[in-house]
Amino acid sequence: YDDDGAPRFACFSLLDTDAPPSGHSVLDYRSIYTQGLLDEPDLGALAQGAALIAWHQSHRHCSRCGTQSVMTDGGYKRICPQCDAQHFPRTDPVVIMLTVSADGTRALLGRSPHFPEGMYSCLAGFVEPGETLEDAVRRETLEESGIKVGRVAYHASQPWPFPYSMMIGMYGQAMSEAITLDDELDDARWFDRNEVRLMIAGTHPDNIRMPPKGAIAWRLVEDWVEG
């Protein structure tokens, strides 16, 4: 529902996205996020609808007996007609963290192989079963960069419908500084506040830049710079 109590709907479409009807255009979810085309409430609605659609597409059969399940409760549940099992939409927790040096003057940023040229961002990874958010931050940072993290603090979150994740923004305090990369990153570096300001402004002399403003990584980095 929107702020006025009016219902909102998300539905499957058979539209050929490569050849939309005349006078119409198609835009993917990620572009809507990264270009800041919707305000925060509308982005939340988009994330919810997109995540529900993705879940229904990939969870059509009962995980208990294999029978095709039936959508109910406006799309918020599936019920198996054979064994009566109830299935609910899933959300995958992902920690995204800005690790800061012990003296607070530098931040650790890395780049994945799929990033556009020159882009650096916060490290991130899925939370494993039975793992706390704090331990996920420490494990992912150590695995990807070799940096040990001590104190961890929550900062903000963002639904991310690719396909149904919750990005949990955290800060971590580094206990070491020597970087050892694994195969998930092309590079990782320490950046001081002045460099990061240039990255945010798009004026870094080496053309190093941040992800688009719609991503939670931008908020983590910008809030650290301003803090």
Side-chain angles (χ1 to χ4, degrees):
Y1 294 90
D2 62 18
D3 292 339
D4 297 324
R8 293 186 174 184
F9 296 92
C11 62
F12 300 100
S13 172
L14 299 179
L15 177 70
D16 182 357
T17 57
D18 293 326
S22 176
H24 294 76
S25 60
V26 176
L27 195 61
D28 63 278
Y29 299 141
R30 191 178 296 273
S31 295
I32 293 173
Y33 264 74
T34 57
Q35 294 178 28
L37 301 180
L38 295 175
D39 59 20
E40 194 164 323
D42 287 334
L43 276 178
L46 171 66
Q48 186 178 50
L52 285 172
I53 288 174
W55 178 73
H56 283 292
Q57 288 178 324
S58 60
H59 291 76
R60 295 179 179 179
H61 293 82
C62 176
S63 59
R64 179 187 292 173
C65 70
T67 302
Q68 184 166 336
S69 57
V70 179
M71 183 190 303
T72 186
D73 286 10
Y76 287 91
K77 183 166 65 175
R78 298 186 73 91
I79 296 179
C80 177
Q82 177 67 30
C83 68
D84 295 325
Q86 299 182 37
H87 306 281
F88 298 90
R90 59 178 292 177
T91 297
D92 295 330
V94 179
V95 288
I96 179 165
M97 48 276 181
L98 184 65
T99 299
V100 179
S101 61
D103 62 5
T105 62
R106 291 167 296 148
L108 178 70
L109 298 172
R111 56 172 286 105
S112 296
H114 66 275
F115 281 6
E117 185 66 28
M119 180 179 292
Y120 281 71
S121 184
C122 303
L123 307 189
F126 287 98
V127 181
E128 294 183 349
E131 187 175 46
T132 66
L133 299 180
E134 293 84 354
D135 283 343
V137 168
R138 297 182 182 108
R139 174 184 55 79
E140 285 288 345
T141 305
L142 183 63
E143 288 177 357
E144 294 186 6
S145 68
I147 300 296
K148 294 182 179 180
V149 171
R151 187 170 64 89
V152 175
Y154 169 81
H155 186 63
S157 63
Q158 180 184 37
W160 196 244
F162 307 110
Y164 26 66
S165 298
M166 174 61 73
M167 306 298 291
I168 304 164
M170 313 283 280
Y171 288 120
Q173 186 176 51
M175 299 176 64
S176 62
E177 295 191 1
I179 296 173
T180 303
L181 298 178
D182 73 352
D183 56 6
E184 292 188 42
L185 296 179
D186 276 346
D187 189 27
R189 290 173 46 186
W190 291 103
F191 294 86
D192 62 32
R193 274 189 168 85
N194 288 332
E195 277 192 285
V196 174
R197 287 191 181 97
L198 294 174
M199 291 165 64
I200 291 174
T203 57
H204 194 284
D206 297 328
N207 198 31
I208 299 174
R209 60 190 186 280
M210 288 294 302
K213 196 170 184 178
I216 192 173
W218 177 287
R219 179 173 178 183
L220 282 168
V221 171
E222 186 177 48
D223 287 355
W224 171 72
V225 167
E226 298 302 325

